[in-house]
Amino acid sequence: MRHTGPDTKVHGVIGNPISHSKSSHLYNTAFRSTGFNGIYLPLLADDVSKFITTYSSPDFAGIVENLICNMFLAGHLCV
C-alpha cells in the first residue's frame, strides 16, 4: 500500500459485487506512473444512496459505478 496524505485524492468504483473489478490495479498504476497524488479503491456498497450520503469529503474526488449501480446513480446524481 502506498503512502497517502492530506492532499491525496480518493477515487473509486462502487458496487456490489465489486471484488471482480480490475479498475484499482489499472488506475493506481496510472496514478503512480504520472505522479498523480491519488488512490483508486474498490468500494463495496449495498445501498448506493446511503454510501453517497455518508461518504462525502473534499478528498473524495469521485466514483465510477459498476453496471448494476448505473441506473440508480443516473437517476440520483445527473441533473
Side-chain angles (χ1 to χ4, degrees):
M1 182 80 136
R2 59 182 233 116
H3 295 282
T4 58
D7 294 330
T8 303
K9 296 298 180 187
V10 178
H11 298 77
V13 58
I14 184 173
N16 187 5
I18 199 64
S19 61
H20 66 283
S21 176
K22 306 291 188 238
S23 297
S24 59
H25 300 292
L26 175 73
Y27 283 100
N28 285 321
T29 299
F31 290 170
R32 278 190 300 276
S33 71
T34 61
F36 179 74
N37 186 10
I39 190 166
Y40 195 98
L41 304 168
L43 304 166
L44 177 65
D46 288 322
D47 187 324
V48 177
S49 179
K50 283 183 184 177
F51 178 88
I52 292 168
T53 302
T54 303
Y55 193 66
S56 61
S57 166
D59 295 327
F60 190 63
I63 59 171
V64 173
E65 72 278 6
N66 70 13
L67 185 59
I68 296 168
C69 296
N70 192 20
M71 291 180 63
F72 176 87
L73 287 173
H76 287 83
L77 295 180
C78 297
V79 183

